[in-house]
Amino acid sequence: MASFDQDKNQFKVLIAGGSLVGLGLALAFERAGIEYELFERGDFATQLGASIGIHPHTIRILEQLGVWEDIERQVIPLQVRKHYDGNGHCFEDSLVLVDINEILQRPIVFMERCKALEVLYNHVQDKSKLHARTAVVGYEETPQTVIVTTEDGTQHHGHILIGADGIHSKVRKLMADKISVTDQALANEINEAFTSEYDCIFAVSRNDAGKQFLPDAMVHNVYYDKYSAIAAAGVPGLVFWFLFVKDSKCTRTPNCPRFTDEDAEATILKYGSSLVGPEYTVKDLWDARVKGTMVPLEEGVIKQWSHNRVVLMGDSVHKATINPGLGGNLAYEGIARLTNGLVPLLKDNPMPSLQQLTEVFNQYIAGQEPRAKTVVDLSGQITRYEAQDTWVLKFAARHIVPWVSDRIKAKLYASFSRGGPYLEYLPLPAMDAEPAKSAKKHSRGIFPKQITIVMLIGGTAAIFWDVCGRFGPDRREGTD
Protein backbone atom coordinates (compact mmCIF):
# COMPACT_ATOMS: atom_id res chain seq x y z
CA MET A 1 0.00 0.00 0.00
CA ALA A 2 1.27 3.43 -0.90
CA SER A 3 1.74 6.17 1.65
CA PHE A 4 -0.66 9.11 1.43
CA ASP A 5 1.86 11.87 1.98
CA GLN A 6 2.72 13.06 -1.52
CA ASP A 7 2.75 16.75 -0.58
CA LYS A 8 4.51 17.15 2.73
CA ASN A 9 4.41 20.93 2.35
CA GLN A 10 0.63 21.04 2.72
CA PHE A 11 -0.88 20.91 6.19
CA LYS A 12 -2.60 17.60 6.75
CA VAL A 13 -4.72 16.18 9.55
CA LEU A 14 -4.62 12.45 10.30
CA ILE A 15 -7.78 11.01 11.86
CA ALA A 16 -7.95 7.68 13.67
CA GLY A 17 -11.51 6.32 13.76
CA GLY A 18 -14.19 6.34 11.08
CA SER A 19 -17.41 6.19 13.05
CA LEU A 20 -19.79 9.11 13.62
CA VAL A 21 -17.10 11.42 14.99
CA GLY A 22 -14.42 10.58 12.45
CA LEU A 23 -16.76 10.95 9.48
CA GLY A 24 -18.10 14.19 10.95
CA LEU A 25 -14.53 15.49 11.17
CA ALA A 26 -13.91 14.38 7.57
CA LEU A 27 -16.89 16.38 6.34
CA ALA A 28 -15.93 19.41 8.44
CA PHE A 29 -12.37 19.41 7.06
CA GLU A 30 -13.53 18.78 3.51
CA ARG A 31 -15.92 21.73 3.67
CA ALA A 32 -13.08 23.88 5.05
CA GLY A 33 -10.62 22.80 2.37
CA ILE A 34 -8.22 21.19 4.87
CA GLU A 35 -6.29 18.12 3.76
CA TYR A 36 -6.83 15.00 5.85
CA GLU A 37 -6.59 11.21 5.81
CA LEU A 38 -8.89 9.02 7.88
CA PHE A 39 -8.04 5.50 9.07
CA GLU A 40 -10.72 3.10 10.25
CA ARG A 41 -9.82 -0.34 11.59
CA GLY A 42 -13.08 -1.88 10.32
CA ASP A 43 -15.55 -1.04 7.58
CA PHE A 44 -17.54 2.15 7.19
CA ALA A 45 -21.30 2.16 7.91
CA THR A 46 -20.95 -1.09 9.84
CA GLN A 47 -24.07 -2.78 11.15
CA LEU A 48 -22.56 -2.80 14.65
CA GLY A 49 -24.27 -0.52 17.13
CA ALA A 50 -27.98 0.06 17.43
CA SER A 51 -29.12 3.69 17.45
CA ILE A 52 -28.09 7.28 17.82
CA GLY A 53 -30.09 10.15 19.29
CA ILE A 54 -29.65 13.49 17.53
CA HIS A 55 -30.45 16.71 19.37
CA PRO A 56 -31.28 20.14 17.90
CA HIS A 57 -27.82 21.68 18.40
CA THR A 58 -26.29 18.77 16.47
CA ILE A 59 -28.93 19.06 13.76
CA ARG A 60 -27.75 22.64 13.22
CA ILE A 61 -24.21 21.38 12.56
CA LEU A 62 -25.52 18.64 10.28
CA GLU A 63 -27.48 21.27 8.35
CA GLN A 64 -24.29 23.28 7.90
CA LEU A 65 -22.53 20.17 6.59
CA GLY A 66 -25.37 19.53 4.14
CA VAL A 67 -26.38 16.11 5.46
CA TRP A 68 -29.47 16.77 7.57
CA GLU A 69 -31.99 16.51 4.72
CA ASP A 70 -30.93 12.93 4.01
CA ILE A 71 -31.27 12.06 7.69
CA GLU A 72 -34.56 13.89 8.09
CA ARG A 73 -36.18 11.76 5.39
CA GLN A 74 -35.54 8.62 7.43
CA VAL A 75 -36.77 9.65 10.88
CA ILE A 76 -39.94 10.48 12.75
CA PRO A 77 -39.48 13.32 15.27
CA LEU A 78 -40.19 12.11 18.79
CA GLN A 79 -43.27 13.71 20.35
CA VAL A 80 -44.86 11.89 23.30
CA ARG A 81 -43.05 10.48 26.32
CA LYS A 82 -44.76 8.25 28.86
CA HIS A 83 -43.16 7.25 32.17
CA TYR A 84 -44.26 4.00 33.84
CA ASP A 85 -43.63 2.22 37.09
CA GLY A 86 -42.99 -1.51 37.14
CA ASN A 87 -46.72 -2.27 37.40
CA GLY A 88 -47.53 -0.55 34.12
CA HIS A 89 -48.94 2.58 35.76
CA CYS A 90 -48.20 5.78 33.80
CA PHE A 91 -47.19 8.42 36.35
CA GLU A 92 -46.03 11.06 33.83
CA ASP A 93 -47.45 11.71 30.36
CA SER A 94 -45.30 14.37 28.71
CA LEU A 95 -45.40 16.46 25.52
CA VAL A 96 -42.14 18.20 26.32
CA LEU A 97 -40.62 16.93 23.06
CA VAL A 98 -43.33 18.77 21.13
CA ASP A 99 -42.60 21.95 23.11
CA ILE A 100 -38.88 21.64 22.36
CA ASN A 101 -39.57 21.30 18.65
CA GLU A 102 -41.85 24.33 18.78
CA ILE A 103 -39.30 26.50 20.61
CA LEU A 104 -36.18 25.47 18.70
CA GLN A 105 -37.82 24.61 15.38
CA ARG A 106 -35.80 21.40 15.41
CA PRO A 107 -36.77 18.01 16.86
CA ILE A 108 -35.04 15.31 18.86
CA VAL A 109 -34.77 12.15 16.76
CA PHE A 110 -33.57 8.56 16.98
CA MET A 111 -32.24 6.55 14.06
CA GLU A 112 -30.18 3.49 13.26
CA ARG A 113 -26.51 4.19 13.81
CA CYS A 114 -25.55 2.41 10.59
CA LYS A 115 -27.95 4.60 8.58
CA ALA A 116 -26.44 7.77 10.09
CA LEU A 117 -22.97 6.49 9.19
CA GLU A 118 -24.15 5.72 5.68
CA VAL A 119 -25.42 9.27 5.18
CA LEU A 120 -22.19 10.82 6.46
CA TYR A 121 -20.05 8.50 4.35
CA ASN A 122 -22.07 9.17 1.20
CA HIS A 123 -21.60 12.93 1.61
CA VAL A 124 -17.80 12.73 1.70
CA GLN A 125 -16.86 13.87 -1.80
CA ASP A 126 -13.34 12.41 -1.99
CA LYS A 127 -13.60 8.80 -0.79
CA SER A 128 -9.89 8.24 -1.52
CA LYS A 129 -9.15 9.90 1.82
CA LEU A 130 -11.16 7.29 3.74
CA HIS A 131 -9.23 4.11 4.46
CA ALA A 132 -11.23 1.15 5.78
CA ARG A 133 -9.59 -1.86 7.45
CA THR A 134 -6.54 0.29 8.14
CA ALA A 135 -5.97 0.40 11.88
CA VAL A 136 -3.53 2.84 13.45
CA VAL A 137 -0.98 0.88 15.51
CA GLY A 138 1.62 3.54 16.33
CA TYR A 139 2.84 7.06 15.83
CA GLU A 140 6.04 9.05 16.14
CA GLU A 141 6.63 12.79 16.11
CA THR A 142 9.29 15.02 14.59
CA PRO A 143 9.62 18.75 15.30
CA GLN A 144 7.35 19.47 12.28
CA THR A 145 5.20 16.37 11.72
CA VAL A 146 3.48 13.33 13.14
CA ILE A 147 4.05 9.98 11.44
CA VAL A 148 1.35 7.33 11.84
CA THR A 149 2.00 3.65 11.26
CA THR A 150 -0.92 1.45 10.20
CA GLU A 151 -1.23 -2.28 10.72
CA ASP A 152 0.23 -3.14 7.30
CA GLY A 153 3.42 -1.31 8.24
CA THR A 154 2.80 1.73 6.04
CA GLN A 155 3.75 5.16 7.38
CA HIS A 156 1.60 8.23 6.81
CA HIS A 157 2.83 11.76 7.36
CA GLY A 158 0.68 14.58 8.74
CA HIS A 159 0.90 17.55 11.05
CA ILE A 160 -1.64 16.62 13.73
CA LEU A 161 -3.29 13.35 14.74
CA ILE A 162 -6.85 13.30 16.06
CA GLY A 163 -7.85 10.28 18.12
CA ALA A 164 -11.55 9.82 17.35
CA ASP A 165 -11.43 6.08 17.89
CA GLY A 166 -13.88 5.62 20.74
CA ILE A 167 -13.85 4.36 24.29
CA HIS A 168 -11.21 1.71 23.49
CA SER A 169 -9.02 4.31 21.79
CA LYS A 170 -5.68 3.08 20.50
CA VAL A 171 -4.49 6.67 20.09
CA ARG A 172 -5.27 7.45 23.74
CA LYS A 173 -3.25 4.42 24.82
CA LEU A 174 -0.35 5.41 22.57
CA MET A 175 -0.48 8.97 23.89
CA ALA A 176 -0.44 7.71 27.47
CA ASP A 177 2.59 5.58 26.64
CA LYS A 178 4.44 8.68 25.40
CA ILE A 179 3.47 10.60 28.53
CA SER A 180 4.57 7.75 30.79
CA VAL A 181 8.20 8.38 29.86
CA THR A 182 8.14 11.57 31.95
CA ASP A 183 4.98 11.21 34.07
CA GLN A 184 3.88 7.68 34.87
CA ALA A 185 1.21 8.86 37.31
CA LEU A 186 -0.51 10.97 34.65
CA ALA A 187 -0.34 8.10 32.16
CA ASN A 188 -2.02 5.84 34.71
CA GLU A 189 -4.75 8.42 35.28
CA ILE A 190 -5.43 8.56 31.54
CA ASN A 191 -5.59 4.78 31.20
CA GLU A 192 -7.82 4.41 34.27
CA ALA A 193 -10.06 7.44 33.70
CA PHE A 194 -13.35 5.64 33.13
CA THR A 195 -15.50 3.70 35.57
CA SER A 196 -18.48 1.44 34.94
CA GLU A 197 -21.25 0.75 37.43
CA TYR A 198 -24.17 0.02 35.07
CA ASP A 199 -24.52 -2.37 32.15
CA CYS A 200 -26.76 -1.93 29.13
CA ILE A 201 -28.43 -4.09 26.52
CA PHE A 202 -29.21 -1.92 23.52
CA ALA A 203 -31.09 -3.22 20.53
CA VAL A 204 -33.27 -2.52 17.52
CA SER A 205 -36.47 -4.54 17.17
CA ARG A 206 -39.24 -4.80 14.63
CA ASN A 207 -42.27 -2.64 15.38
CA ASP A 208 -44.73 -4.21 12.97
CA ALA A 209 -47.66 -2.01 11.96
CA GLY A 210 -50.17 -4.75 12.72
CA LYS A 211 -48.99 -5.17 16.29
CA GLN A 212 -46.84 -2.27 17.42
CA PHE A 213 -45.06 -2.25 20.74
CA LEU A 214 -45.59 1.51 20.81
CA PRO A 215 -46.85 4.05 18.26
CA ASP A 216 -44.51 5.99 16.01
CA ALA A 217 -43.04 9.14 17.62
CA MET A 218 -43.55 7.66 21.11
CA VAL A 219 -41.03 7.08 23.91
CA HIS A 220 -41.65 4.78 26.88
CA ASN A 221 -39.60 4.96 30.08
CA VAL A 222 -40.04 2.40 32.85
CA TYR A 223 -38.51 2.70 36.32
CA TYR A 224 -37.59 -0.25 38.53
CA ASP A 225 -35.29 -0.58 41.54
CA LYS A 226 -31.67 -0.77 40.31
CA TYR A 227 -32.69 -1.15 36.66
CA SER A 228 -34.73 0.66 34.01
CA ALA A 229 -35.66 0.55 30.34
CA ILE A 230 -36.38 2.93 27.46
CA ALA A 231 -38.10 2.25 24.14
CA ALA A 232 -38.42 4.80 21.32
CA ALA A 233 -40.22 4.51 17.98
CA GLY A 234 -38.30 7.02 15.87
CA VAL A 235 -38.16 5.21 12.51
CA PRO A 236 -41.09 3.52 10.70
CA GLY A 237 -41.24 -0.17 11.52
CA LEU A 238 -38.53 -0.13 14.19
CA VAL A 239 -38.21 0.40 17.93
CA PHE A 240 -34.92 1.34 19.59
CA TRP A 241 -34.67 0.14 23.16
CA PHE A 242 -32.32 -0.06 26.12
CA LEU A 243 -32.21 -2.10 29.32
CA PHE A 244 -30.04 -0.55 32.05
CA VAL A 245 -28.97 -2.76 34.96
CA LYS A 246 -26.81 -1.89 37.95
CA ASP A 247 -23.81 -4.22 38.14
CA SER A 248 -22.78 -5.97 41.33
CA LYS A 249 -19.51 -4.01 41.37
CA CYS A 250 -17.95 -0.85 39.98
CA THR A 251 -15.02 -1.44 37.62
CA ARG A 252 -12.41 0.84 36.09
CA THR A 253 -10.68 0.87 32.72
CA PRO A 254 -8.92 -1.07 31.38
CA ASN A 255 -10.77 -3.71 33.44
CA CYS A 256 -14.37 -2.83 32.60
CA PRO A 257 -16.23 -5.98 31.53
CA ARG A 258 -16.65 -7.22 27.96
CA PHE A 259 -19.91 -9.10 27.46
CA THR A 260 -20.75 -12.03 25.20
CA ASP A 261 -24.02 -13.04 23.57
CA GLU A 262 -24.39 -15.54 26.38
CA ASP A 263 -24.15 -12.74 28.95
CA ALA A 264 -26.91 -10.86 27.14
CA GLU A 265 -29.12 -13.96 27.04
CA ALA A 266 -28.59 -14.51 30.78
CA THR A 267 -29.58 -10.90 31.48
CA ILE A 268 -32.73 -11.25 29.38
CA LEU A 269 -33.57 -14.45 31.25
CA LYS A 270 -33.35 -12.54 34.53
CA TYR A 271 -35.17 -9.35 33.52
CA GLY A 272 -37.17 -10.44 30.48
CA SER A 273 -40.55 -10.53 32.24
CA SER A 274 -40.29 -6.85 33.18
CA LEU A 275 -42.77 -4.54 31.49
CA VAL A 276 -41.40 -1.74 29.30
CA GLY A 277 -44.77 -0.39 28.18
CA PRO A 278 -48.25 -1.31 29.34
CA GLU A 279 -48.58 -4.44 27.17
CA TYR A 280 -45.08 -5.66 26.31
CA THR A 281 -41.98 -6.88 28.11
CA VAL A 282 -38.22 -6.82 27.71
CA LYS A 283 -38.41 -10.42 26.42
CA ASP A 284 -41.00 -9.45 23.81
CA LEU A 285 -38.63 -6.80 22.46
CA TRP A 286 -35.67 -9.18 22.59
CA ASP A 287 -37.53 -11.86 20.62
CA ALA A 288 -38.39 -9.29 17.92
CA ARG A 289 -34.86 -7.89 17.71
CA VAL A 290 -33.07 -7.15 14.47
CA LYS A 291 -29.80 -6.72 16.34
CA GLY A 292 -28.71 -6.24 19.92
CA THR A 293 -25.70 -6.36 22.18
CA MET A 294 -24.61 -5.81 25.79
CA VAL A 295 -21.99 -3.32 26.94
CA PRO A 296 -20.79 -1.65 30.13
CA LEU A 297 -21.71 2.01 30.57
CA GLU A 298 -18.37 3.70 31.06
CA GLU A 299 -18.31 7.17 32.61
CA GLY A 300 -15.56 9.72 32.89
CA VAL A 301 -13.44 12.54 31.48
CA ILE A 302 -9.71 12.04 31.09
CA LYS A 303 -7.29 14.45 32.73
CA GLN A 304 -5.17 15.35 29.67
CA TRP A 305 -6.69 15.67 26.21
CA SER A 306 -3.65 16.40 24.06
CA HIS A 307 0.09 15.90 23.90
CA ASN A 308 2.31 17.68 21.38
CA ARG A 309 0.67 17.08 17.96
CA VAL A 310 -1.96 14.61 19.17
CA VAL A 311 -5.45 15.54 20.39
CA LEU A 312 -8.39 13.36 21.45
CA MET A 313 -12.08 13.76 20.70
CA GLY A 314 -15.42 12.10 21.45
CA ASP A 315 -15.63 8.92 23.52
CA SER A 316 -11.84 8.64 23.56
CA VAL A 317 -11.75 11.61 25.95
CA HIS A 318 -15.21 11.93 27.53
CA LYS A 319 -17.72 9.10 27.97
CA ALA A 320 -21.23 9.61 29.29
CA THR A 321 -23.91 7.04 30.06
CA ILE A 322 -26.42 6.90 27.26
CA ASN A 323 -29.76 7.49 29.01
CA PRO A 324 -30.20 11.14 27.88
CA GLY A 325 -28.53 10.48 24.52
CA LEU A 326 -26.05 13.35 24.76
CA GLY A 327 -22.72 11.58 24.26
CA GLY A 328 -22.64 11.64 20.46
CA ASN A 329 -24.01 15.16 20.44
CA LEU A 330 -21.26 16.25 22.81
CA ALA A 331 -18.72 14.86 20.34
CA TYR A 332 -20.15 17.02 17.54
CA GLU A 333 -19.75 20.04 19.79
CA GLY A 334 -16.09 19.03 19.99
CA ILE A 335 -15.86 18.89 16.19
CA ALA A 336 -17.15 22.45 16.00
CA ARG A 337 -14.84 23.77 18.71
CA LEU A 338 -11.68 22.22 17.29
CA THR A 339 -12.32 23.14 13.67
CA ASN A 340 -13.43 26.67 14.63
CA GLY A 341 -9.92 27.19 16.01
CA LEU A 342 -8.01 25.35 13.32
CA VAL A 343 -9.62 26.91 10.22
CA PRO A 344 -8.70 30.56 10.93
CA LEU A 345 -5.23 29.54 12.10
CA LEU A 346 -4.51 27.79 8.81
CA LYS A 347 -5.95 30.69 6.85
CA ASP A 348 -3.45 33.05 8.48
CA ASN A 349 -0.58 30.57 8.64
CA PRO A 350 -0.73 27.53 6.31
CA MET A 351 2.05 25.77 8.24
CA PRO A 352 1.58 26.71 11.91
CA SER A 353 4.10 25.99 14.63
CA LEU A 354 3.58 23.47 17.40
CA GLN A 355 3.03 26.36 19.79
CA GLN A 356 0.23 27.74 17.61
CA LEU A 357 -1.38 24.31 17.30
CA THR A 358 -1.15 23.86 21.06
CA GLU A 359 -3.01 27.14 21.51
CA VAL A 360 -5.82 25.83 19.28
CA PHE A 361 -5.91 22.55 21.22
CA ASN A 362 -6.08 24.45 24.50
CA GLN A 363 -8.89 26.63 23.17
CA TYR A 364 -10.85 23.53 22.13
CA ILE A 365 -10.27 21.92 25.54
CA ALA A 366 -11.18 25.08 27.47
CA GLY A 367 -14.51 25.24 25.65
CA GLN A 368 -15.30 21.54 25.65
CA GLU A 369 -14.08 20.25 29.01
CA PRO A 370 -16.53 22.10 31.33
CA ARG A 371 -19.51 21.04 29.23
CA ALA A 372 -18.17 17.49 29.00
CA LYS A 373 -17.74 17.20 32.76
CA THR A 374 -21.24 18.49 33.39
CA VAL A 375 -22.86 16.22 30.80
CA VAL A 376 -20.93 13.17 31.99
CA ASP A 377 -21.79 13.84 35.63
CA LEU A 378 -25.45 14.50 35.02
CA SER A 379 -25.87 11.66 32.54
CA GLY A 380 -24.66 9.38 35.32
CA GLN A 381 -27.16 10.92 37.72
CA ILE A 382 -29.88 10.37 35.11
CA THR A 383 -28.98 6.69 34.82
CA ARG A 384 -29.28 6.34 38.59
CA TYR A 385 -32.48 8.37 38.66
CA GLU A 386 -34.21 6.14 36.14
CA ALA A 387 -33.00 3.04 38.00
CA GLN A 388 -34.22 4.59 41.27
CA ASP A 389 -30.84 4.05 42.86
CA THR A 390 -31.80 5.90 46.05
CA TRP A 391 -35.05 6.72 47.80
CA VAL A 392 -34.48 10.42 47.08
CA LEU A 393 -34.35 9.77 43.34
CA LYS A 394 -37.40 7.54 43.53
CA PHE A 395 -39.35 10.17 45.44
CA ALA A 396 -38.36 12.86 42.95
CA ALA A 397 -39.39 10.73 39.97
CA ARG A 398 -42.83 10.00 41.37
CA HIS A 399 -43.74 13.12 43.34
CA ILE A 400 -41.71 16.13 42.12
CA VAL A 401 -40.72 15.93 38.48
CA PRO A 402 -44.20 15.15 37.08
CA TRP A 403 -45.42 18.44 38.56
CA VAL A 404 -42.83 20.52 36.69
CA SER A 405 -44.56 21.79 33.56
CA ASP A 406 -43.45 20.60 30.14
CA ARG A 407 -43.03 24.21 29.06
CA ILE A 408 -40.53 24.97 31.82
CA LYS A 409 -38.58 21.84 30.99
CA ALA A 410 -38.60 22.71 27.28
CA LYS A 411 -37.41 26.28 27.89
CA LEU A 412 -34.54 25.09 30.02
CA TYR A 413 -33.55 22.45 27.53
CA ALA A 414 -33.69 25.06 24.75
CA SER A 415 -31.32 27.28 26.71
CA PHE A 416 -28.88 24.37 26.97
CA SER A 417 -29.22 23.44 23.30
CA ARG A 418 -28.73 27.01 22.10
CA GLY A 419 -25.46 27.08 23.99
CA GLY A 420 -23.97 24.46 21.70
CA PRO A 421 -21.38 25.70 19.19
CA TYR A 422 -21.78 25.74 15.42
CA LEU A 423 -19.28 25.75 12.54
CA GLU A 424 -18.21 29.39 12.41
CA TYR A 425 -16.52 29.05 9.01
CA LEU A 426 -19.70 27.83 7.26
CA PRO A 427 -22.94 29.74 6.68
CA LEU A 428 -25.59 29.29 9.33
CA PRO A 429 -29.06 28.11 8.34
CA ALA A 430 -31.32 31.11 7.75
CA MET A 431 -33.30 30.52 10.94
CA ASP A 432 -30.10 30.84 13.00
CA ALA A 433 -28.47 33.81 11.31
CA GLU A 434 -30.10 36.43 13.53
CA PRO A 435 -29.22 34.95 16.95
CA ALA A 436 -25.76 33.83 15.84
CA LYS A 437 -23.95 36.31 18.08
CA SER A 438 -25.87 35.08 21.11
CA ALA A 439 -25.13 31.44 20.28
CA LYS A 440 -21.43 32.20 19.91
CA LYS A 441 -21.40 34.05 23.19
CA HIS A 442 -22.67 31.01 25.06
CA SER A 443 -20.84 28.31 23.12
CA ARG A 444 -17.97 27.98 25.61
CA GLY A 445 -20.09 26.50 28.35
CA ILE A 446 -23.21 26.89 30.46
CA PHE A 447 -23.94 27.09 34.13
CA PRO A 448 -24.04 23.68 35.84
CA LYS A 449 -27.29 24.56 37.60
CA GLN A 450 -28.87 25.38 34.25
CA ILE A 451 -27.91 22.10 32.60
CA THR A 452 -28.93 20.28 35.76
CA ILE A 453 -32.51 21.38 35.39
CA VAL A 454 -32.32 21.00 31.63
CA MET A 455 -31.70 17.31 32.07
CA LEU A 456 -35.31 16.92 33.08
CA ILE A 457 -35.88 16.26 29.39
CA GLY A 458 -33.97 13.02 29.51
CA GLY A 459 -36.70 11.47 31.57
CA THR A 460 -34.40 12.32 34.27
CA ALA A 461 -35.25 15.32 36.12
CA ALA A 462 -34.72 14.00 39.54
CA ILE A 463 -31.71 16.12 39.21
CA PHE A 464 -34.23 18.89 39.81
CA TRP A 465 -34.22 17.70 43.42
CA ASP A 466 -30.44 17.97 43.50
CA VAL A 467 -30.36 21.44 42.02
CA CYS A 468 -32.97 22.78 44.41
CA GLY A 469 -30.89 21.56 47.31
CA ARG A 470 -27.68 23.11 45.99
CA PHE A 471 -28.90 26.37 44.54
CA GLY A 472 -32.24 27.09 46.16
CA PRO A 473 -35.02 29.08 44.47
CA ASP A 474 -32.68 31.34 42.47
CA ARG A 475 -33.30 29.24 39.35
CA ARG A 476 -33.23 30.68 35.85
CA GLU A 477 -35.80 29.31 33.40
CA GLY A 478 -34.51 30.58 30.08
CA THR A 479 -36.67 32.22 27.43
CA ASP A 480 -38.32 31.31 24.16
Side-chain angles (χ1 to χ4, degrees):
M1 182 184 294
S3 177
F4 306 98
D5 60 348
Q6 287 85 351
D7 186 1
K8 295 182 181 179
N9 295 318
Q10 185 172 12
F11 187 88
K12 180 180 286 187
V13 179
L14 305 179
I15 304 169
S19 191
L20 293 169
V21 183
L23 289 174
L25 280 166
L27 286 170
F29 288 135
E30 189 169 73
R31 300 296 188 268
I34 296 174
E35 281 297 308
Y36 73 92
E37 301 286 344
L38 185 151
F39 308 100
E40 165 57 35
R41 67 177 181 177
D43 293 313
F44 294 104
T46 174
Q47 292 295 314
L48 295 176
S51 60
I52 179 70
I54 306 177
H55 286 242
H57 45 293
T58 301
I59 292 174
R60 178 170 59 187
I61 293 172
L62 297 176
E63 287 175 330
Q64 289 186 280
L65 293 173
V67 303
W68 169 243
E69 286 187 5
D70 285 353
I71 291 175
E72 187 177 22
R73 283 192 285 267
Q74 302 183 41
V75 300
I76 301 170
L78 299 175
Q79 295 182 351
V80 181
R81 191 159 199 163
K82 293 181 179 288
H83 300 259
Y84 295 95
D85 64 21
N87 298 317
H89 168 68
C90 181
F91 60 85
E92 184 178 357
D93 191 345
S94 172
L95 291 175
V96 67
L97 297 165
V98 174
D99 287 338
I100 286 172
N101 198 343
E102 178 185 325
I103 293 170
L104 293 175
Q105 295 299 297
R106 292 185 177 96
I108 294 175
V109 302
F110 256 104
M111 70 182 301
E112 287 183 275
R113 187 182 184 88
C114 62
K115 295 298 183 182
L117 288 167
E118 186 178 282
V119 170
L120 294 172
Y121 179 83
N122 288 340
H123 275 266
V124 175
Q125 296 174 11
D126 187 353
K127 302 291 194 300
S128 70
K129 299 181 184 299
L130 307 179
H131 311 294
R133 302 181 186 179
T134 311
V136 171
V137 297
Y139 74 84
E140 297 295 334
E141 295 175 278
T142 73
Q144 288 79 36
T145 64
V146 59
I147 305 167
V148 161
T149 302
T150 50
E151 60 187 345
D152 64 355
T154 306
Q155 292 187 330
H156 311 272
H157 294 254
H159 297 90
I160 64 172
L161 169 61
I162 301 177
D165 48 348
I167 184 64
H168 302 295
S169 172
K170 179 67 173 180
V171 174
R172 184 183 67 233
K173 177 64 168 62
L174 292 169
M175 189 184 84
D177 289 344
K178 305 286 187 186
I179 291 171
S180 69
V181 175
T182 56
D183 193 337
Q184 184 62 56
L186 176 58
N188 291 342
E189 287 188 71
I190 292 171
N191 287 326
E192 301 171 4
F194 304 99
T195 61
S196 174
E197 190 177 13
Y198 277 77
D199 306 323
C200 174
I201 290 178
F202 61 89
V204 180
S205 297
R206 295 180 297 277
N207 197 31
D208 297 330
K211 189 180 179 182
Q212 288 184 312
F213 291 110
L214 67 171
D216 289 345
M218 177 77 74
V219 181
H220 285 166
N221 275 77
V222 62
Y223 299 65
Y224 292 93
D225 292 337
K226 311 304 181 187
Y227 70 105
S228 66
I230 302 173
V235 170
L238 296 176
V239 55
F240 307 106
W241 60 276
F242 310 83
L243 173 66
F244 305 98
V245 178
K246 187 172 183 177
D247 206 316
S248 59
K249 59 182 178 180
C250 181
T251 55
R252 182 175 294 277
T253 52
N255 299 313
C256 293
R258 298 287 189 99
F259 295 110
T260 64
D261 291 343
E262 290 73 22
D263 293 323
E265 291 283 1
T267 302
I268 294 298
L269 184 63
K270 182 174 182 179
Y271 297 98
S273 62
S274 301
L275 289 169
V276 179
E279 297 180 356
Y280 65 98
T281 66
V282 170
K283 182 66 161 54
D284 293 332
L285 289 169
W286 182 252
D287 289 343
R289 73 189 182 281
V290 177
K291 52 191 170 186
T293 192
M294 184 171 179
V295 297
L297 294 184
E298 298 95 345
E299 308 171 64
V301 179
I302 74 171
K303 186 172 183 178
Q304 183 161 321
W305 296 31
S306 68
H307 182 249
N308 295 333
R309 293 180 177 270
V310 177
V311 64
L312 303 176
M313 181 170 291
D315 284 357
S316 69
V317 70
H318 45 65
K319 184 69 166 65
T321 58
I322 61 180
N323 297 60
L326 286 172
N329 296 270
L330 184 63
Y332 269 70
E333 294 183 37
I335 291 173
R337 289 192 171 96
L338 181 62
T339 55
N340 284 344
L342 196 58
V343 170
L345 173 63
L346 295 177
K347 183 177 180 180
D348 293 339
N349 188 342
M351 194 58 65
S353 67
L354 176 58
Q355 180 180 352
Q356 290 172 314
L357 291 169
T358 300
E359 290 174 0
V360 168
F361 292 168
N362 289 341
Q363 177 185 342
Y364 149 67
I365 295 165
Q368 186 77 352
E369 187 174 31
R371 181 116 154 169
K373 287 182 175 179
T374 303
V375 169
V376 167
D377 177 56
L378 290 170
S379 294
Q381 292 188 48
I382 286 164
T383 299
R384 289 156 180 83
Y385 165 77
E386 294 182 351
Q388 301 180 145
D389 198 77
T390 68
W391 73 266
V392 173
L393 296 178
K394 186 172 184 176
F395 182 84
R398 305 300 176 84
H399 302 292
I400 297 179
V401 174
W403 292 97
V404 180
S405 75
D406 287 344
R407 196 66 180 179
I408 288 176
K409 296 173 187 175
K411 286 181 178 181
L412 290 164
Y413 173 83
S415 183
F416 160 71
S417 184
R418 287 172 177 146
Y422 56 90
L423 300 172
E424 296 172 5
Y425 55 93
L426 292 178
L428 272 168
M431 64 180 288
D432 298 293
E434 190 66 28
K437 182 180 292 188
S438 174
K440 183 175 180 180
K441 177 181 178 182
H442 292 93
S443 67
R444 298 185 185 277
I446 60 172
F447 295 107
K449 68 176 180 180
Q450 186 180 31
I451 190 175
T452 296
I453 307 172
V454 161
M455 289 306 173
L456 296 170
I457 181 57
T460 62
I463 318 312
F464 183 82
W465 178 268
D466 174 67
V467 84
C468 289
R470 285 189 290 147
F471 299 103
D474 180 34
R475 196 176 73 250
R476 300 195 305 172
E477 294 184 356
T479 57
D480 284 332

